Amino acid sequence: MLLRFWKMHGLGNDFMVVDLVTQRARLPAQKISEWANRHTGIGFDQLLLVEPPTHPDMDFRYRIFNADGSEVENCGNGARCFARFVVDNQLTAKRDIRVETAGGPMLLSLTDDARVRVDMGPPRLAPAEIPFHAEMQSLSYEVETEQGTVSLSAISMGNPHAVVMVDSVDTAPVTTLGPLLERHHRFPRRVNVGFLEVLSTRHARLRVFERGVGETRACGTGACAAAVAGIQQGVLESPVNIDLPGGQLTLEWAGEGHSVIMTGPAERVFEGRIPL
Ligand SMILES: N[C@@H](CCC[C@H](N)C(=O)O)C(=O)O
């Protein structure tokens, strides 16, 4: 069979998006990592599946697979592409779309300026919910690594994130410390690692070493986690603009118990069919 898909991206974090509402397919992990390959496949950071909901109050189920084939709980840039995909493919006539993910429900809304606003739900800060091994919840934790002791915040946006404050993202050890922390024993389900440089209370820069992928051009959930970490530590204020290598996201957060709101673009690159 030929499987129809769209190639999309949100700030250069790129996706293969497959409609499993009108098509039926089973996609083994090995197939996903073959297609993710940038030399011999389609090339993408994540595969996004659009499925019918399993709960009556939801519009769709949204599933996410990293380039290594592992299924994960959430993807923020993908959520914006998901909204654009279901609207442009006329899978819904709604402008406010409720989706279920393994990381919890999300509300996706198309804005008048062609961007997508996502209610990502509240961040989870209790160590057991991240999951992260720590005796008690704290704004920052000291973690021992082969590169010395690293001070980081640990936050779940449905998926796990570590945020490390740096003086400059240009010189931050993204590709050396990133993989060490990704597989650190204190993060039993591995972790996405963000390096945050604060420029002012409303403006920051971020690079993210993503679990199951490596450094990407942008990470939506990583930007949410970085905004939460910065606001909690009193160095950022909501709303905050975060510059990633692929472009800018706007994040809003009113504090513990409130949802993080992320706004940014979602683009279609091309559509295709691939043998399954
Ligand atoms: N690119 C994403 C996050 C994708 C999942 C992540 N790599 C994980 O393993 O949790 C985003 O935009 O949030």
Side-chain angles (χ1 to χ4, degrees):
M1 102 176 244
L2 283 178
L3 184 73
R4 279 182 283 114
F5 69 93
W6 276 22
K7 175 76 190 283
M8 301 187 76
H9 78 95
L11 301 179
N13 181 195
D14 60 348
F15 311 108
M16 173 182 181
V17 190
V18 176
D19 163 10
L20 291 184
V21 175
T22 66
Q23 304 181 100
R24 276 187 194 282
R26 212 182 55 77
L27 309 178
Q30 193 199 332
K31 203 52 149 174
I32 295 169
S33 55
E34 276 172 32
W35 288 341
N37 189 298
R38 295 193 181 280
H39 304 288
T40 55
I42 297 162
F44 53 82
D45 296 324
Q46 277 89 30
L47 166 72
L48 312 180
L49 300 185
V50 179
E51 296 189 355
T54 64
H55 296 285
D57 51 345
M58 293 285 150
D59 298 309
F60 296 97
R61 181 180 184 206
Y62 165 33
R63 290 175 69 198
I64 305 126
F65 295 82
N66 279 332
D68 67 1
S70 57
E71 184 163 6
V72 293
E73 308 87 345
N74 203 355
C75 176
N77 290 324
R80 300 195 312 280
C81 290
F82 189 102
R84 170 85 38 231
F85 182 91
V86 295
V87 169
D88 290 358
N89 281 293
Q90 294 168 346
L91 297 175
T92 183
K94 296 183 177 174
R95 282 180 74 88
D96 294 314
I97 304 150
R98 291 190 181 279
V99 297
E100 51 178 293
T101 71
M106 285 199 290
L107 178 65
L108 323 177
S109 308
L110 297 187
T111 66
D112 292 336
D113 63 355
R115 295 193 301 163
V116 183
R117 184 176 191 273
V118 184
D119 178 334
M120 302 284 295
R124 294 167 212 166
L125 306 169
E129 289 193 72
I130 293 167
F132 174 62
H133 295 309
E135 295 209 336
M136 61 175 76
Q137 183 177 325
S138 173
L139 291 186
S140 72
Y141 304 91
E142 303 290 296
V143 170
E144 303 301 327
T145 76
E146 286 162 35
Q147 291 188 9
T149 306
V150 179
S151 182
L152 55 81
S153 300
I155 291 162
S156 170
M157 287 306 309
N159 58 346
H161 289 271
V163 181
V164 181
M165 302 276 182
V166 294
D167 291 337
S168 165
V169 289
D170 298 322
T171 53
V174 181
T175 55
T176 52
L177 185 57
L180 282 184
L181 288 174
E182 183 204 1
R183 293 177 180 276
H184 197 281
H185 64 89
R186 289 183 67 185
F187 290 98
R189 290 222 293 265
R190 300 195 279 153
V191 73
N192 299 286
V193 188
F195 294 83
L196 176 67
E197 173 189 346
V198 174
L199 300 173
S200 71
T201 52
R202 305 268 186 182
H203 193 193
R205 299 172 75 203
L206 180 72
R207 284 171 66 189
V208 180
F209 188 92
E210 282 196 29
R211 173 178 69 165
V213 184
E215 185 178 5
T216 55
R217 301 280 297 154
C219 177
T221 48
C224 295
V228 168
I231 291 168
Q232 281 209 305
Q233 294 190 23
V235 293
L236 293 177
E237 279 174 22
S238 176
V240 58
N241 289 325
I242 297 194
D243 296 341
L244 297 123
Q248 190 175 78
L249 289 174
T250 303
L251 290 312
E252 299 160 63
W253 187 52
E256 211 163 334
H258 293 270
S259 287
V260 182
I261 309 295
M262 173 194 62
T263 307
E267 309 286 343
R268 189 187 88 133
V269 186
F270 62 85
E271 59 184 275
R273 288 162 197 258
I274 193 157
L276 183 63

